[in-house]
Amino acid sequence: MAAYFSLFIECLPTLLSGLEMTLFMAVVSLIFACIIGVILGIFSISNIKWLEKIATFYIYVVRGIPLMVLGFFIFFGIGGGLNLQFSALTAAVISLTINASAYMAEIFRGGIQAVDIGQVEAARSLGLSYIQAMMRVVLPQAIKIMIPAILNQFITTIKDTSILSAISVRELVMNGEIIVARNFKPFEVYSYLAIMYLIVITILSLITRRIERNMSYDSRGK
Amino acid sequence: MILEANNIKKFFGKNEVLKDISFNVKEGEVICIIGPSGSGKSTLLRCLNRLEEIQAGTIQILGEEITAMKNINNLRKEIGMVFQLFNLFPNYTVLDNITMAPILLNKMSKKEAETKALALLEQVGLTDFKDVYPSTLSGGQKQRVAIARALEMGPRIMLFDEPTSALDPEMVGEVLKVMKDLAQAGMTMVVVTHEMGFAREVADRVIFMDGGYIVEENTPKELFSHPQSKRCQTFLSSVLHPAGLEG
């Protein structure tokens, strides 16, 4: 047991630098994914047919492609094949962004559509414009509905960063593999990885639960 | 004339739900629209503030042709609407439900809006509930807040879409009382309702609709005691003397 912990301390600097890279990739790509997701989500609920089609097509294509294939295609296919010369990290962030944005778009569309149409009608009949009704009435309610699904996507994306070890990004899994290749202790090292992912995701869940509680406006709320 | 509707037609797909509807409302008048389910009453009401678009005909409100307007938002401030399912905003407190729109639309300062809202809450008997969220209110209380919310904008005409149909029977009275007070204060009202007692007592004119047509239009006294058409007679006898409850 003592050996297990002392090996952990020994590996910690390498693992932490991997974790840092993992979180960096996840945060940056989730920020972009949220922005693209909102835009595509708005496209898919708009009454303009061709915008709706763009969103539907994007979501259809991206959801059908495994993240690893997307990563290979962007890094080796576009980066290498077309000689654009971007780093593995850039390729990884682009892949994660594309992947997560499709799911985010669906989350936003679903959240907005889950708000009763009567809410828009009430707001519009008071004289609010469509945009005002969206901002003041629909979105605050939609976001509350979306939070569990968004958290889910955050967790998925954090875990999905590990797939990009395949294009040699030095994230948590990659660094774990490097350590195993040196010390031949896969049981210990991979269990360290599992625990570190678990800790990160637990923290994220706790933060989300707190946000959800603060947003509550039902009888148990404020 | 505060409202003038001429030869309105409305289709849902191929289904014609309003067939050549014409009627008008004078300032201060209370019009009740009655009729069986599916007769087009609610659709007609929703066309009046363009929650539904009509396919033919004209609707003039306060002298403006609403079907021709590019932006109806300003006129909508003059048209209060009360819905069957209340449609209060669950993410705002009772007070904020009422004051949100006038503040956002720069119709009043925050202070003015709140002063007026509190007076309206007193009028509907809900002063104590100003800081709670709608989810804690009963149906009757929600509908009274919804009426206050519509009145806050200072509308010239109020549209009620079956305002008591979703309420438990013991709460119908409190909402009808508020509406009756409003009528007596001189508000112009168009009320789609199944409350025949209210129509008989409060309305200046009653419109009976069936199958997308206005079948009869008369004073409540005449319409309820001497319905002219067979359809109106059948409808009234079925709502006033429900089968199985006699004898």
Side-chain angles (χ1 to χ4, degrees), chain B residues 52-116:
Chain B
E52 305 284 354
E53 301 283 346
I54 57 173
Q55 273 74 48
T58 59
I59 299 173
Q60 279 167 20
I61 293 183
L62 300 167
E64 295 192 70
E65 177 55 51
I66 68 163
T67 49
M69 295 173 86
K70 271 247 179 319
N71 183 338
I72 186 143
N73 296 337
N74 271 320
L75 187 62
R76 277 193 176 135
K77 296 173 198 164
E78 313 285 336
I79 310 170
M81 178 109 181
V82 175
F83 299 86
Q84 183 178 357
L85 295 175
F86 330 124
N87 296 346
L88 293 179
F89 307 131
N91 52 327
Y92 291 102
T93 63
V94 165
L95 189 66
D96 291 341
N97 257 278
I98 302 174
T99 59
M100 186 267 281
I103 296 172
L104 179 66
L105 302 173
N106 292 321
K107 200 175 158 75
M108 297 177 214
S109 71
K110 189 168 191 286
K111 205 167 158 56
E112 286 168 335
E114 282 179 358
T115 310
K116 183 166 184 193

Side-chain angles (χ1 to χ4, degrees), chain A residues 181-208:
Chain A
R182 255 193 334 244
N183 67 8
F184 303 108
K185 287 192 174 359
F187 177 85
E188 287 82 353
V189 175
Y190 288 129
S191 69
Y192 301 154
L193 294 190
I195 291 165
M196 291 179 83
Y197 277 111
L198 265 177
I199 291 172
V200 170
I201 280 151
T202 305
I203 293 170
L204 187 59
S205 304
L206 291 175
I207 294 171
T208 319

Side-chain angles (χ1 to χ4, degrees), chain A residues 125-173:
Chain A
S125 64
L126 288 166
L128 272 66
S129 69
Y130 179 77
I131 301 283
Q132 286 170 327
M134 274 290 162
M135 299 302 288
R136 293 303 183 107
V137 175
V138 177
L139 283 182
Q141 295 179 54
I143 287 167
K144 188 174 185 290
I145 298 169
M146 289 185 269
I147 283 178
I150 292 176
L151 166 72
N152 215 17
Q153 185 56 46
F154 280 17
I155 290 172
T156 304
T157 299
I158 288 173
K159 291 191 295 184
D160 278 356
T161 55
S162 62
I163 294 171
L164 280 318
S165 62
I167 57 169
S168 70
V169 181
R170 301 259 328 232
E171 44 66 70
L172 190 48
V173 171

